[in-house]
Amino acid sequence: MLYPILTRTRKLYDLGGVWSFKLGNHDPKSGPLLGDLMVVPTSFNDVVVDKDKRQYIGDFWYEREVTVPMLSKNEELVLRFGSVTHEARVYVNGVELASHKGGFTPFECLIPEEYYATNQTLTISVCANNILDYTTLPVGHYSEEVAEDGTLKRVVKENFDFFNYAGIHRPVKLYTRPKNYISNILILAHLSEDLSQAELTIDVETSMPADVRIVILDESKSEVAILENGRALLKHPRLWEVLDSYLYTAHVETYVNDNLVDCYDEEFGIRSLKVDKGQFLLNHKPVYFKGFGKHEDTYINGRGLNEAANLMDLNLLKEIGANSFRTSHYPYSEEMMRLADRMGILVIDEVPAVGLFQQFTVTLNPLTGDKMATWELMKTHEAHEQVIKELIDRDKNHPSVVMWVVANEPASNEPGAREYFTPLIELMKTNDPSHRPVTLVNIKSAGLDDQVTDLLDVICLNRYYGWYDNHGDLKKAEIALRKELSLWQEKYPDKPIIITEYGADTVPGYHTMWDIPYTEEYQCDYYAMNHRVFDELPNLVGEQVWNFADFETNVLIIRVKGNHKGLFSRNREPKQVVRDFAKRWKAIPNYNYKEK
């Protein structure tokens, strides 16, 4: 599915703005939706203000009327959603046209011509649902209870430590395209060993037979290659590098009888990836990942798209010397991925497979005495296959995407884990034509007993020594961290290791003379301890802080208005430790920091 853009053959209309909104039931055939107002895109939870509405679980509705643009007989009309969390049914003029499960990937539907042949307006109704259970990703424990007034109350206990924001989170677009249209573009760039030339292969899919013509443009929009039979050799290409991006454009046109039918521009970067001898190589150079786990989380918008916040976040990331982020714990917006391409940011791209742990607690210490039954309880395999296919199809051409994550912190040490993950890891590897490395983010309770690490290209570890383990005792934490990381390197000497989470909750303005958790001083000392250990291991090739910024969570005794592990507050004000990170990361080169 192509990202919606305006071209000579395609018109594009943004349906963002104020929609009618209602929690509960609605019949789209019964007349206009009478209820509240809601902005699209955004999370509904923080906008509604009312506590019960904020925590609502179940169906909720959006509706608006749209004026139909004039179309020629050779055009068709498409309605596209960047994402609806977590499930959607789409109606036009009261008739269901599309449905989609999964709250973080796009979907679209063709609007039949008879719907607008005699009418100038369309009524678009969306029934969304935010229930999570043992069949969905992310995972939640779903139950129902009867309230005092006799009404049914739906309850979701999330198997993850972030707020279950819901709504139409990303842009809604109405666009026209030719009936004979370009439906997909796959771009592969194979670099020669000396990086002096790139063999380009571009596969174009169309809805009907057509002649395909492809021209490669550089950043100045000058023509640098014409493809013949979908192939071209580009000599001395400008490579896409860390924090030094360069994007070419594949300008694709289709013709029937020498008449232009459709055209589309797809940007791409040229770079090589390889994992070898405990190092992660980009353009044959060992990379050191400096960066963050993040969340799509801002005031008022919740998880809704906020492009100003996206750009500010990446500007802050670059300002302190970072070069990467992980899309924890779900695919981020297409707009964010396009920004990362343009700014040279490395992205570790993750599917929303979080919560695959029956005994999950937010302190990351499993409950004791319970049966280890994760892989008996979870019925997520079908959803897992779907999100893998949809994510790779969406992000396959992004040069910023350098690795896929099959799951975050699953119970990968429990019986059945290997049987569950083996086909999914294989699916990730075979579905990606570029064969990017694949990883799984390991939780400490799984540790070295993990059953799937040998199937992975890179070891990714979430570790909180000095916080959830050895809380407040950094001396013991340092000893324990050094011991475990040494064991990982000894067991897997040819696999790179990235610390994908480490952090300590910190309240801005809370100070002390002693090592007391939650103070800004403790956060500084905590990271200094971790970094001493990281620098000792030759195969440790990256450090991604948890988290970039404080973020909203559910109400818990250890969560005072959210998770405060951010280097920045939720409104992006820096904490004291930011200066320490800027000093460290600016001194660490993007390449060759731990070259053997």
Side-chain angles (χ1 to χ4, degrees):
M1 186 187 307
L2 299 176
Y3 183 78
I5 62 173
L6 182 67
T7 75
R8 291 171 59 200
T9 57
R10 298 174 178 229
K11 304 179 187 74
L12 183 64
Y13 306 90
D14 184 6
L15 301 188
V18 178
W19 291 48
S20 297
F21 178 79
K22 182 186 178 187
L23 301 176
N25 298 323
H26 171 60
D27 181 356
K29 295 181 179 179
S30 64
L33 176 63
L34 301 177
D36 299 321
L37 300 177
M38 185 55 56
V39 170
V40 172
T42 195
S43 300
F44 78 80
N45 310 82
D46 288 357
V47 180
V48 292
V49 180
D50 178 87
K51 178 182 177 182
D52 290 337
K53 290 182 178 180
R54 183 177 195 265
Q55 298 176 340
Y56 172 85
I57 300 293
D59 286 349
F60 49 100
W61 290 81
Y62 295 80
E63 191 170 276
R64 68 165 292 176
E65 280 197 350
V66 176
T67 300
V68 182
M70 294 181 63
L71 275 72
S72 72
K73 64 179 182 179
N74 295 320
E75 290 181 301
E76 58 188 25
L77 195 61
V78 181
L79 179 62
R80 188 187 194 273
F81 294 81
S83 73
V84 180
T85 308
H86 293 279
E87 184 176 358
R89 299 194 307 274
V90 178
Y91 300 79
V92 175
N93 294 347
V95 178
E96 183 174 346
L97 291 187
S99 63
H100 184 263
K101 291 192 72 171
F104 304 96
T105 44
F107 64 96
E108 64 184 23
C109 61
L110 178 68
I111 299 178
E113 187 173 347
E114 59 265 26
Y115 282 48
Y116 52 85
T118 57
N119 297 313
Q120 295 183 356
T121 61
L122 300 172
T123 299
I124 299 172
S125 309
V126 181
C127 178
N129 185 288
N130 59 351
I131 290 176
L132 296 172
D133 57 24
Y134 286 162
T135 71
T136 65
L137 294 177
V139 174
H141 177 71
Y142 176 72
S143 63
E144 297 178 352
E145 55 189 49
V146 178
E148 292 182 359
D149 61 1
T151 59
L152 181 70
K153 181 179 180 182
R154 299 173 179 87
V155 179
V156 170
K157 298 293 185 183
E158 296 84 356
N159 260 34
F160 48 85
D161 187 24
F162 53 93
F163 191 80
N164 184 25
Y165 280 116
I168 299 180
H169 276 155
R170 294 172 187 163
V172 182
K173 303 287 187 179
L174 190 69
Y175 72 92
T176 68
R177 67 188 179 197
K179 292 179 180 178
N180 187 347
Y181 63 92
I182 299 166
S183 58
N184 204 357
I185 299 172
L186 169 62
I187 302 174
L188 298 175
H190 299 284
L191 278 163
S192 61
E193 185 62 27
D194 63 1
L195 308 180
S196 65
Q197 57 187 25
E199 181 183 354
L200 301 179
T201 303
I202 301 181
D203 292 329
V204 177
E205 297 178 9
T206 58
S207 61
M208 302 178 191
D211 295 327
V212 178
R213 303 176 189 178
I214 308 171
V215 173
I216 306 302
L217 308 175
D218 63 15
E219 285 197 347
S220 67
K221 301 305 177 185
S222 299
E223 182 181 301
V224 294
I226 300 175
L227 274 74
E228 296 184 4
N229 298 318
R231 296 179 178 273
L233 190 65
L234 187 61
K235 294 184 178 181
H236 307 295
R238 173 78 181 273
L239 301 184
W240 190 94
E241 300 275 10
V242 180
L243 300 185
D244 182 20
S245 70
Y246 193 89
L247 297 178
Y248 291 91
T249 299
H251 178 70
V252 181
E253 295 181 343
T254 57
Y255 289 81
V256 173
N257 297 326
D258 283 333
N259 294 315
L260 178 67
V261 175
D262 196 12
C263 61
Y264 190 89
D265 287 339
E266 179 82 337
E267 292 185 329
F268 67 98
I270 298 174
R271 50 101 180 101
S272 68
L273 293 175
K274 187 178 181 181
V275 172
D276 186 51
K277 297 178 181 178
Q279 298 295 301
F280 194 106
L281 306 177
L282 179 75
N283 300 331
H284 300 346
K285 296 173 289 187
V287 172
Y288 194 80
F289 290 80
K290 303 172 289 181
F292 304 92
K294 288 182 87 281
H295 267 298
E296 291 183 319
D297 181 282
T298 56
Y299 283 115
I300 302 175
N301 297 67
R303 191 147 293 120
L305 177 67
N306 186 329
E307 292 203 77
N310 283 351
L311 181 56
M312 181 181 183
D313 283 359
L314 295 192
N315 283 337
L316 289 171
L317 182 149
K318 292 181 68 173
E319 180 66 20
I320 66 173
N323 60 20
S324 64
F325 65 85
R326 175 169 61 117
T327 69
S328 44
H329 298 298
Y330 40 80
Y332 290 178
S333 69
E334 294 162 283
E335 290 75 16
M336 177 58 111
M337 307 306 289
R338 293 164 75 88
L339 264 183
D341 287 344
R342 295 176 65 180
M343 298 177 72
I345 308 295
L346 302 170
V347 179
I348 299 175
D349 211 357
E350 186 166 292
V351 297
V354 58
L356 289 165
F357 201 139
Q358 178 231 349
Q359 300 184 80
F360 173 82
T361 67
V362 298
T363 60
L364 305 185
N365 295 310
L367 302 172
T368 58
D370 287 348
K371 181 181 178 183
M372 297 174 67
T374 296
W375 308 110
E376 297 175 17
L377 290 172
M378 301 300 170
K379 308 299 179 184
T380 53
H381 202 275
E382 181 179 343
H384 214 144
E385 286 186 338
Q386 176 189 333
V387 295
I388 287 172
K389 292 175 182 177
E390 290 183 349
L391 178 64
I392 292 175
D393 181 63
R394 192 195 77 167
D395 290 351
K396 59 185 179 294
N397 291 332
H398 287 291
S400 58
V401 176
V402 296
M403 186 159 53
W404 307 111
V405 183
V406 71
N408 176 75
E409 295 185 344
S412 54
N413 60 314
E414 292 186 18
R418 190 174 183 88
E419 291 77 7
Y420 180 86
F421 280 110
T422 297
L424 296 174
I425 293 169
E426 183 62 25
L427 181 65
M428 271 191 156
K429 289 177 175 289
T430 57
N431 264 45
D432 178 16
S434 295
H435 305 298
R436 294 170 177 85
V438 173
T439 191
L440 176 151
V441 176
N442 179 283
I443 190 171
K444 181 179 179 293
S445 57
L448 288 150
D449 293 329
D450 176 283
Q451 296 184 15
V452 298
T453 300
D454 62 303
L455 305 175
L456 307 172
D457 300 298
V458 177
I459 298 170
C460 288
L461 306 175
N462 292 352
R463 293 298 183 265
Y464 290 92
Y465 289 102
W467 193 252
Y468 296 125
D469 295 282
N470 310 113
H471 184 74
D473 191 336
L474 294 178
K475 288 184 178 180
K476 287 184 178 180
E478 183 170 353
I479 293 169
L481 175 62
R482 182 177 288 110
K483 179 180 178 181
E484 187 191 351
L485 293 184
S486 298
L487 289 172
W488 279 105
Q489 182 162 287
E490 180 181 340
K491 186 173 182 178
Y492 298 102
D494 293 328
K495 292 185 187 290
I497 300 171
I498 299 174
I499 305 298
T500 37
E501 289 184 25
Y502 65 118
D505 283 87
T506 305
V507 178
Y510 184 26
H511 296 281
T512 184
M513 293 294 292
W514 307 280
D515 275 344
I516 296 179
Y518 292 96
T519 65
E520 297 201 50
E521 286 77 13
Y522 186 84
Q523 188 181 36
C524 292
D525 293 342
Y526 169 92
Y527 282 117
M529 177 276 290
N530 277 268
H531 294 155
R532 283 195 299 272
V533 178
F534 295 171
D535 287 342
E536 294 172 5
L537 278 84
N539 285 15
L540 198 151
V541 301
E543 54 197 55
Q544 291 191 327
V545 173
W546 189 257
N547 191 285
F548 174 78
D550 296 347
F551 58 91
E552 186 75 337
T553 67
N554 298 304
V555 177
L556 297 163
I557 195 168
I558 65 167
R559 293 285 175 257
V560 182
K561 204 176 180 182
N563 189 309
H564 292 276
K565 291 187 181 68
L567 297 196
F568 297 88
S569 66
R570 196 176 181 211
N571 63 356
R572 278 46 178 181
E573 291 181 345
K575 298 179 186 178
Q576 179 177 322
V577 76
V578 166
R579 291 189 177 188
D580 294 347
F581 269 95
K583 182 177 180 180
R584 171 177 171 80
W585 282 350
K586 287 180 179 179
I588 294 177
N590 296 314
Y591 298 110
N592 302 309
Y593 181 52
K594 292 189 175 179
E595 186 176 16
K596 294 183 178 180

